[in-house]
Structure formats: structure tokens, C-alpha cells
Amino acid sequence: MFEEIMPSAAYEALQNNAEAQLIDCRSMAEWNLIGTPDLSPIGKQVACLEWQSVDGQRNESFCDKISEHIDKEAAIYIICRSGARSAAACQALAAAGFTTLFNVTGGFEGNTDAQGHRATSEGWKFEGLPWRQP
């Protein structure tokens, strides 16, 4: 099916595997307002492809779009805000025949803390990995 992986381990794996790809499956609004992981320090780009839109509508062509650009045996790391949508995307990709899938645990910002803030205890940003805002 797929494996869970911490953001720092995903970043290291992406750095060490030329064919590995990071897919950010959040919404366009999230990419534009919150930012995205930055893989330029390791000579790569993040593939941004919505799993679902802001209104909750699932992107029915998600797996097909990935199939057009990524080999089904390649290592694929999926990230969302906290790890839930990316887990669903991993399940769909596994059902579509992709074999080496990783869900980035904690996602880009992680779950909210007691004060309702994100990126305070888990996720890509919390771990201090490169990211950028548009």
C-alpha cells in the first residue's frame, strides 16, 4: 500500500534518489497563501496537483495526471497540510498500480495545537525544511 515517513526523512530520500518525486496535493489556495516545500536546494521541483479543491470536490483525474509524468515504480512522496488528504491520495495511487508510495506524516503544517496554530509541533515547516511563499 504505502508507508508513512517523517518530513526530514522524505527530504533526505528525495535528495538521495534522482527519480523520487514530491507531490503536494493541497489546494491551489493553500499553495498561494501558505506556501510550498522548496526542493531547489536539492535541484528538484515540487509537483503541485490538487487532490481536492477548496470546496471539497475530489480531482477525479489525479491518478491519471500523475501517470502521465511519473513511472508507476518510482518513489513518490505525497504531502498535504497534515497527512490526511495525502494518505487518501496514496491509497488511490496504490489502487491505480503505483508501487512505491510514501505519505509525509504531519504534512506541510501539521495539526493544530491547543491555541489553534499549525507548524508548532509537526510537519515540514516545523522540522525547518526549506519552503517558500509565492
Side-chain angles (χ1 to χ4, degrees):
M1 205 61 186
F2 65 90
E3 292 181 43
E4 296 287 335
I5 189 167
M6 297 301 292
S8 55
Y11 187 78
E12 183 178 339
L14 287 157
Q15 186 171 10
N16 294 327
N17 180 344
E19 285 76 42
Q21 178 68 53
L22 178 64
I23 298 172
D24 187 335
C25 72
R26 294 174 300 145
S27 69
M28 185 180 301
E30 289 170 294
W31 305 323
N32 290 331
L33 297 173
I34 299 165
T36 59
D38 180 10
L39 299 182
S40 64
I42 59 173
K44 291 188 172 193
Q45 290 186 326
V46 177
C48 293
L49 181 63
E50 288 181 317
W51 169 248
Q52 64 188 39
S53 60
V54 174
D55 65 5
Q57 184 73 20
R58 181 167 170 244
N59 178 359
E60 296 298 330
S61 65
F62 183 83
C63 294
D64 292 336
K65 293 282 187 191
I66 292 173
S67 292
E68 291 173 10
H69 302 284
I70 302 174
D71 187 87
K72 289 193 175 190
E73 286 79 38
I76 301 173
Y77 298 80
I78 311 287
I79 193 168
C80 67
R81 181 182 61 204
S82 62
R85 284 176 287 175
S86 52
C90 282
Q91 289 175 339
L93 288 168
F98 288 86
T99 60
T100 313
L101 300 165
F102 300 88
N103 182 38
V104 180
T105 304
F108 187 61
E109 298 183 287
N111 290 304
T112 54
D113 63 15
Q115 290 76 37
H117 301 119
R118 294 188 185 277
T120 59
S121 64
E122 63 180 345
W124 189 276
K125 288 169 71 176
F126 174 75
E127 290 190 18
L129 297 168
W131 65 282
R132 65 176 165 210
Q133 288 183 299

